[in-house]
Amino acid sequence: EGVLVAERCVITPGVVGEKPHAFIRAGPREEIAFSGEETKIGVVTCGGLCPGLNNVVREIVREAHSLYKVPVGNVFGIQYGFSGFTDK
């Protein structure tokens, strides 16, 4: 169907019919199964020093808005990893 990305590049001489492990390439799709205007995105971070993390979060917001029309107010940052989902 689409472009596949190899999980590992191992060639075994003489083995016929061995199926490679592969994943579908990540990235934007021509057809999507949701409406961007109704979508909410949560970006989970774990805190601590991580150079470049602000740039990554900013680009997630910008691309979600420009490619999929997700309202900027529908992208949420969640600090402290999974514990950021709790009230404690």
Side-chain angles (χ1 to χ4, degrees):
E1 290 179 17
V3 177
L4 298 177
V5 179
E7 177 183 10
R8 57 191 167 123
C9 295
V10 178
I11 299 172
T12 309
V15 176
V16 178
E18 181 180 5
K19 293 186 177 183
H21 295 275
F23 303 96
I24 297 173
R25 182 178 293 277
R29 303 284 185 251
E30 288 184 29
E31 294 181 31
I32 53 177
F34 57 87
S35 168
E37 293 86 5
E38 299 173 3
T39 300
K40 294 184 180 174
I41 298 173
V43 181
V44 181
T45 63
C46 294
L49 290 176
C50 184
L53 185 59
N54 288 339
N55 291 338
V56 171
V57 173
R58 183 186 69 232
E59 289 305 313
I60 290 171
V61 173
R62 291 177 67 184
E63 292 299 310
H65 181 67
S66 65
L67 286 177
Y68 301 110
K69 308 299 182 234
V70 176
V72 174
N74 281 6
V75 182
F76 302 93
I78 302 162
Q79 296 179 321
Y80 313 116
F82 287 112
S83 64
F85 287 104
T86 64
D87 292 334
K88 296 180 182 180

